[in-house]
């Protein structure tokens, strides 16, 4: 492992998101193809940034990540660790080592991604989206969504819902 590799990957992902957001902001004035590309880039910036390790994570860690992906909300690190039969600190270290981010950051990105998907695919109100994506309330959704995408959920909803449908 290269010291600082995870931090470099995290900073690279954070540095790429503003460029994608710029494209998205300008796409509103341009065309739907560019808008869709910008939305895709913003959402992909929320995905995990794996480290340079070429080894596969242990089976128990893959199961933990699958549980996070399946449940998404209401998951606590100490409960995940207990079900995996490992100490929470060990889980946190191994998760960062193999997936390039902390468990908490990964959970937050999954919630923001779920919220973005709900906004894009439904007409649910933002408080309902917040609840269904696993946030305590709409204000938590607003803060996490803005931190992850650079947009408020309302602005994102306006951009997505103003696109013409091609169905």
């Amino acid at each position: 492992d290269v010291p600082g590799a995870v931090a470099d990957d995290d900073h690279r992902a954070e540095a790429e998101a503003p460029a994608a957001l710029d494209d998205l902001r300008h796409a509103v004035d341009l065309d739907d193809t560019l808008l869709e590309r910008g939305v895709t880039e913003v959402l992909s910036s929320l995905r995990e940034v794996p480290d340079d390790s070429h080894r596969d994570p242990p089976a128990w860690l893959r199961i933990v990540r699958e549980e996070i992906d399946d449940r998404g909300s209401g998951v606590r690190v100490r409960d995940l660790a207990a079900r995996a039969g490992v100490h929470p600190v060990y889980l946190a270290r191994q998760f960062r080592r193999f997936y390039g981010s902390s468990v908490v950051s990964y959970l937050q990105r999954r919630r923001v991604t779920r919220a973005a998907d709900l906004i894009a695919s439904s007409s649910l109100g933002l408080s309902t989206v917040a609840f269904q994506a696993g946030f305590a309330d709409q204000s938590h959704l607003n803060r996490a969504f803005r931190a992850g995408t650079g947009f408020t959920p309302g602005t994102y909803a306006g951009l997505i819902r103003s696109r013409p449908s091609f169905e």
Side-chain angles (χ1 to χ4, degrees):
D1 292 22
V2 177
V6 172
D8 290 343
D9 286 344
D10 287 343
H11 291 297
R12 183 171 19 109
E14 290 171 13
E16 290 171 358
L21 293 174
D22 242 9
D23 286 348
L24 185 55
R25 286 188 185 105
H26 295 297
V28 175
D29 298 329
L30 300 175
D31 63 39
D32 290 330
T33 304
L34 190 55
L35 177 62
E36 188 161 333
R37 189 186 82 199
V39 168
T40 301
E41 288 178 18
V42 167
L43 290 177
S44 68
S45 73
L46 296 172
R47 306 279 185 231
E48 66 279 357
V49 180
D51 68 1
D52 290 278
S53 175
H54 298 295
R55 297 183 343 189
D56 289 332
W60 67 266
L61 190 57
R62 286 193 305 271
I63 292 168
V64 165
R65 185 171 171 186
E66 288 171 10
E67 183 175 347
I68 293 169
D69 291 343
D70 291 344
R71 291 183 55 202
S73 63
V75 178
R76 294 182 358 189
V77 174
R78 72 172 164 222
D79 295 337
L80 291 168
R83 282 192 288 282
V86 298
H87 192 276
V89 173
Y90 185 71
L91 167 62
R93 286 182 182 159
Q94 294 304 304
F95 197 93
R96 182 177 293 278
R97 176 179 173 204
F98 285 99
Y99 297 119
S101 74
S102 71
V103 177
V104 173
S105 294
Y106 183 78
L107 280 165
Q108 187 80 320
R109 283 194 307 273
R110 295 293 301 160
R111 289 180 185 134
V112 170
T113 300
R114 173 79 173 130
D117 290 344
L118 286 169
I119 291 168
S121 66
S122 72
S123 59
L124 295 172
L126 294 178
S127 61
T128 303
V129 167
F131 176 74
Q132 287 189 5
F135 291 96
D137 55 36
Q138 188 176 341
S139 67
H140 286 106
L141 167 64
N142 289 343
R143 282 193 300 278
F145 201 94
R146 182 185 283 273
T149 68
F151 290 103
T152 64
T155 301
Y156 179 76
L159 289 169
I160 292 297
R161 293 176 182 162
S162 69
R163 290 181 34 212
S165 176
F166 295 106
E167 296 178 36

